[in-house]
Amino acid sequence: MSDKLWIFDTTLRDGEQVPGCQLNTKEKIVVAKALEALGVDIIEAGFPISSPGDFNSVVEISKAVSNPIICALSRAVEKDIDVAADALKYAKKGRIHTGIGTSPYHIQYKLRSTPENIIERGVRAVKYAKKYVEDVEFYAEDAGRSELPFLAKIIEEVIKAGATVVNIPDTTGYCLPEQYGAIIRYLKENVSNIDKAIISTHCHNDLGMATANTIAGVQNGARQAELTINGIGERAGNTSMEEVVMAIKCHHDIPVFTNIKTEKIYETSRLISKLMNMPVQPNKAIVGRNAFAHSSGIHQDGVLKHRENYEIIDPKEVGVHESSIVLTARSGRAALKFHLDSLGVELEGDALNEVYEDFLVLADSKRDIGPKDLLSLVGKYMDESSFIELGKVHYKSNGAIEATVELKVGEKAYEATSTGNGPVDAVIKAIESIVNPHIVLEEFLIQAITAGSDDVAKVHMRLMQGDKPYYGFSSNTDIVLASAQAFVDALNKIPVKDKVTID
């Protein structure tokens, strides 16, 4: 029978330590509620003594959520523990997370102490925290580089003192999976009272091993995993929740289960990315833009015939509507036909072969193949009346921001003017007043390509029509124009039958 793996989310504590990712209290409450809806068991809401803002966030999160345990971090210092306990006073279920460094590096160079003194301080901290809450977690900082006999000794002593969870962090991301798994196994075999506490993993990604180390820890007896959404965290980041959860879901021989509602993973990932202003890398496992995108012709043909030929996860399991078939010079006839069908053009036999040969020539010379390119290849086979072409874009500020846009839809020319909160908002509203596809702009990212005041901006947009996503891309030195181009690029990927225009 499978054991429960407790999911401990530290996005709001360890994840939020990343420079530029700090959230205010209201934003943290939004994230905490999303984590509750996702099904996490423990939310590490902050480090209360570190700042008034962190203290207040722990207080307000404790009020805002009901189901997860709310955890507050502290050092092995009585004042830290007092403040953590005070911050948790409204928590329905509270936990204090206290601890101390246990590696020779930390004992000698950071704490300037002795192993004996470290054990004494750790035990004292646990006993002190136990006066406030029943649920006390002890962390052995830098356990990944600690001497195993000493690590086993301090873990045994803090469990005697009342620790209910013992956290074994690979703080520097140093361990290999075999090494980290062996540490957990050693503790299971050499700590006499280990059955009285839950062993927790907490792995960093400095060598890209965080997920593998966490899984190794679970396979060797850990039953809590400390994770962050998108793997956000110090330096190279923490273990990605989405990767661990889906690895367990895919591998039924790992003897644990979680309460995570996996269909909410993608939306939670995007919420964190947006609020923390931290774009998700396109090739990020599970939640990256390319995680379910296929550009190789062999792969595309296989996926279109049977998804499981090349996908071990159904995109819908993590909240992604469907896989993406991307047109490149490596695409085959199956992918080309798939895109032509979505444009309302049904080609077979010699006609498809003829268009495919022209497509390969074009794809060799152009990185991105879009609807406009397909239109030029199959113009004699299809109705061009719904293709949108961006003309001139003007914007100005006379107190209010005003934009004028010229569009060509098929053979008809349109012009519209609109106001907005800024030039990008005004331009998009002007386009929407001409073309009304009933969409929602769900994601809007701007990234620098070059450097300096003449920087080129790359814009990525995701539009949602119902539950289907459509992506648009563009780059330009003018951010407003790049945004308009990306928006139109996404609009042109909406199938003709689903596109509504205003005459």
Side-chain angles (χ1 to χ4, degrees):
M1 185 175 180
S2 294
D3 296 332
K4 177 177 177 177
L5 179 68
W6 294 76
I7 299 299
F8 178 115
D9 183 89
T10 185
T11 302
L12 291 173
R13 202 278 301 169
D14 210 346
E16 204 235 358
Q17 292 177 189
V18 177
C21 289
Q22 286 70 35
L23 304 176
N24 60 40
T25 298
K26 288 183 178 180
E27 290 169 331
K28 289 182 179 181
I29 291 171
V30 171
V31 172
K33 288 182 176 179
L35 294 173
E36 181 176 35
L38 183 62
V40 305
D41 300 296
I42 304 102
I43 296 174
E44 189 166 45
F47 183 12
I49 203 167
S50 65
S51 73
D54 238 33
F55 177 89
N56 187 56
S57 292
V58 176
V59 171
E60 295 304 321
I61 290 170
S62 297
K63 295 176 183 177
V65 301
S66 301
N67 295 321
I69 296 167
I70 304 301
C71 180
L73 184 73
S74 79
R75 295 165 296 185
V77 176
E78 289 187 0
K79 180 62 175 175
D80 279 30
I81 296 168
D82 290 336
V83 174
D86 191 27
L88 290 170
K89 60 190 173 186
Y90 296 107
K92 288 78 176 174
K93 294 173 283 187
R95 174 186 294 181
I96 293 176
H97 189 188
T98 190
I100 197 165
T102 58
S103 71
Y105 295 96
H106 281 228
I107 294 172
Q108 182 177 352
Y109 299 113
K110 176 185 171 183
L111 301 168
R112 302 184 187 280
S113 186
T114 64
E116 295 74 22
N117 181 253
I118 294 300
I119 292 176
E120 180 185 333
R121 289 167 64 177
V123 167
R124 188 166 62 241
V126 170
K127 287 182 176 179
Y128 192 74
K130 202 77 174 176
K131 294 178 181 179
Y132 289 111
V133 293
E134 178 58 31
D135 192 0
V136 175
E137 177 172 345
F138 176 83
Y139 62 84
E141 189 176 12
D142 204 18
R145 297 188 297 171
S146 296
E147 295 173 349
L148 291 182
F150 174 72
L151 183 62
K153 177 63 176 175
I154 192 170
I155 292 302
E156 186 165 300
E157 292 302 316
V158 297
I159 293 174
K160 284 181 186 176
T164 51
V165 181
V166 286
N167 179 13
I168 313 300
D170 182 24
T171 304
T172 60
Y174 171 77
C175 290
L176 298 176
E178 294 82 1
Q179 294 171 320
Y180 189 74
I183 293 172
I184 303 301
R185 186 168 62 251
Y186 182 90
L187 296 176
K188 290 284 286 185
E189 294 172 353
N190 292 276
V191 175
S192 63
N193 55 359
I194 198 67
D195 60 309
K196 293 180 170 59
I198 293 172
I199 299 177
S200 180
T201 66
H202 182 114
C203 300
H204 282 259
N205 206 39
D206 297 70
L207 294 177
M209 300 287 178
T211 296
N213 285 344
T214 297
I215 294 297
V218 171
Q219 289 174 318
N220 283 278
R223 289 298 178 263
Q224 176 179 288
E226 304 193 3
L227 315 164
T228 64
I229 300 296
N230 300 335
I232 195 167
E234 287 272 11
R235 303 183 311 278
N238 287 54
T239 309
S240 296
M241 181 195 295
E242 58 275 9
E243 293 176 13
V244 170
V245 169
M246 294 311 296
I248 289 168
K249 192 167 185 177
C250 286
H251 289 271
H252 301 294
D253 56 327
I254 301 175
V256 296
F257 67 92
T258 76
N259 288 336
I260 295 299
K261 300 175 180 66
T262 62
E263 68 278 4
K264 292 183 176 293
I265 284 176
Y266 190 77
E267 66 180 75
T268 309
S269 165
R270 284 306 182 258
L271 173 68
I272 301 299
S273 175
K274 180 179 178 180
L275 290 178
M276 290 190 168
N277 195 30
M278 178 67 75
V280 177
Q281 67 190 64
N283 64 327
K284 171 75 172 65
I286 315 300
V287 294
R289 188 171 69 240
N290 294 342
F292 299 100
H294 306 273
S295 62
S296 161
I298 295 172
H299 288 216
Q300 291 173 333
D301 181 60
V303 167
L304 291 171
K305 286 176 176 174
H306 183 65
R307 182 190 60 77
E308 292 179 3
N309 282 329
Y310 287 100
E311 287 184 352
I312 59 172
I313 299 169
D314 185 337
K316 294 182 178 66
E317 285 188 84
V318 297
V320 176
H321 178 72
E322 62 186 0
S323 305
S324 299
I325 303 298
V326 183
L327 289 177
T328 70
R330 264 65 61 193
S331 297
R333 287 174 179 77
L336 178 62
K337 186 177 187 325
F338 173 80
H339 278 273
L340 292 176
D341 287 347
S342 72
L343 292 172
V345 181
E346 296 183 8
L347 296 183
E348 302 285 351
D350 291 341
L352 179 62
N353 290 335
E354 178 185 340
V355 171
Y356 180 66
E357 294 304 319
D358 292 339
F359 162 78
L360 289 179
V361 173
L362 179 63
D364 272 332
S365 62
K366 191 171 184 181
R367 178 179 295 179
D368 297 315
I369 303 296
K372 184 176 181 181
D373 302 304
L374 295 180
L375 178 68
S376 68
L377 292 173
V378 298
K380 64 182 179 181
Y381 297 104
M382 71 176 292
D383 175 13
E384 302 180 13
S385 62
S386 292
F387 187 79
I388 306 165
E389 188 172 354
L390 183 66
K392 293 180 180 179
V393 175
H394 304 281
Y395 53 91
K396 61 183 179 180
S397 175
N398 292 319
I401 305 294
E402 184 179 274
T404 300
V405 172
E406 295 178 7
L407 284 186
K408 190 176 179 183
V409 182
E411 294 302 318
K412 297 181 180 180
Y414 298 87
E415 181 178 302
T417 299
S418 185
T419 59
N421 293 328
V424 172
D425 184 45
V427 166
I428 288 176
K429 285 179 177 175
I431 295 171
E432 288 180 321
S433 71
I434 300 171
V435 181
N436 180 25
H438 306 300
I439 51 86
V440 175
L441 175 55
E442 186 182 68
E443 185 174 80
F444 177 24
L445 297 176
I446 300 174
Q447 293 176 298
I449 297 178
T450 58
S453 59
D454 59 346
D455 197 356
V456 174
K458 182 177 181 180
V459 174
H460 157 76
M461 288 187 180
R462 182 173 69 250
L463 310 184
M464 297 296 295
Q465 186 179 65
D467 59 356
K468 294 195 68 173
Y470 298 96
Y471 297 92
F473 308 91
S474 184
S475 58
N476 202 294
T477 53
D478 185 329
I479 291 175
V480 177
L481 185 55
S483 301
Q485 291 167 340
F487 190 65
V488 169
D489 182 45
L491 290 177
N492 276 319
K493 292 171 182 174
I494 298 174
V496 172
K497 62 184 177 63
D498 297 326
K499 197 179 295 181
V500 180
T501 58
I502 299 175
D503 251 322

